[in-house]
Amino acid sequence: MKSFFQSLVLLMFLNLAGAVHAADCAVEITAGDNLAYSLSTIQVSRSCESVNIAFKHLGSLPAAAMGHNFVIAKSVDLQAIQNDGNKAGMSGGYLKSEDDRVIVASQIIGGGEATSVELPVGRLAEGQDYSFFCTVMSHSVVMKGTISLVP
Ligand code: CO
C-alpha cells in the first residue's frame, strides 16, 4: 500500500509531466455530440513559436446536425464574429469571409472527423483576453473556453 508521501511524489510527477506536455507546443482538444469541448482553458507557453491544436469530434452525428469548428479570437470579438458567422451559415463555414478579427479557425467537422490549427503565439498580446469557441449554429453561447499565456 502506498504511503501518503509516495502518493504526493506521484502527484508532483504527474503535474511535472503536464507541464512538459504544454512545452511540447501541442494541444489536443475534443468535442462530441453535445455543445462542449473537452477543455475549458488552453495554456499556451510563451516559449512556443506556435502551438499545434489538434481537434477531434468523437461523436457520431454528421456536421450538418452537430458540426463543430474551433476558432480563436479576442474574447471581446466573440459575439460580433458569431453574429457575422450566423449570416455566413454552413456554406460559409459559419464565419465571415476573411474575418480579420479571427486569429485562427478550423474547418467544420462532424462525428469521427479530425482537423488541426496552428496558433502563432506571437499573435497573442500580453494582458489581452482570448477565447476559443465554436461558431456553428451559435454554439459559442456555451461552447467556448479561454486561452491563457503562461511562461
Ligand atoms: Co459546436
Side-chain angles (χ1 to χ4, degrees):
M1 188 171 144
K2 284 193 183 105
S3 71
F4 172 74
F5 179 73
Q6 281 172 319
S7 298
L8 194 65
V9 168
L10 182 64
L11 273 174
M12 288 170 72
F13 173 75
L14 289 173
N15 279 337
L16 189 66
V20 167
H21 180 72
D24 284 347
C25 306
V27 175
E28 202 174 287
I29 185 165
T30 64
D33 288 334
N34 56 356
L35 307 188
Y37 290 113
S38 57
L39 301 173
S40 56
T41 300
I42 293 176
Q43 294 190 324
V44 171
S45 172
R46 286 186 195 85
S47 66
C48 296
E49 194 174 321
S50 71
V51 173
N52 181 271
I53 301 168
F55 175 44
K56 291 180 189 166
H57 190 320
L58 304 178
S60 56
L61 293 174
M66 188 52 76
H68 300 302
N69 62 2
F70 182 89
V71 180
I72 295 175
K74 287 179 187 170
S75 303
V76 292
D77 290 335
L78 188 160
Q79 193 58 58
I81 290 169
Q82 178 68 70
N83 292 348
D84 287 339
N86 289 342
K87 291 174 199 159
M90 183 59 99
S91 62
Y94 274 95
L95 284 173
K96 178 180 147 186
S97 176
E98 292 175 38
D99 190 334
D100 58 19
R101 296 164 299 192
V102 170
I103 297 170
V104 288
S106 79
Q107 62 187 105
I108 295 172
I109 56 173
E113 297 177 324
T115 186
S116 68
V117 293
E118 197 74 25
L119 169 64
V121 176
R123 293 286 307 276
L124 305 181
E126 206 73 45
Q128 179 75 55
D129 289 331
Y130 296 93
S131 294
F132 62 87
F133 50 96
C134 174
T135 60
V136 179
M137 292 178 269
S138 288
H139 288 180
S140 69
V141 172
V142 291
M143 193 172 182
K144 61 186 171 183
T146 57
I147 305 251
S148 60
L149 271 175
V150 296

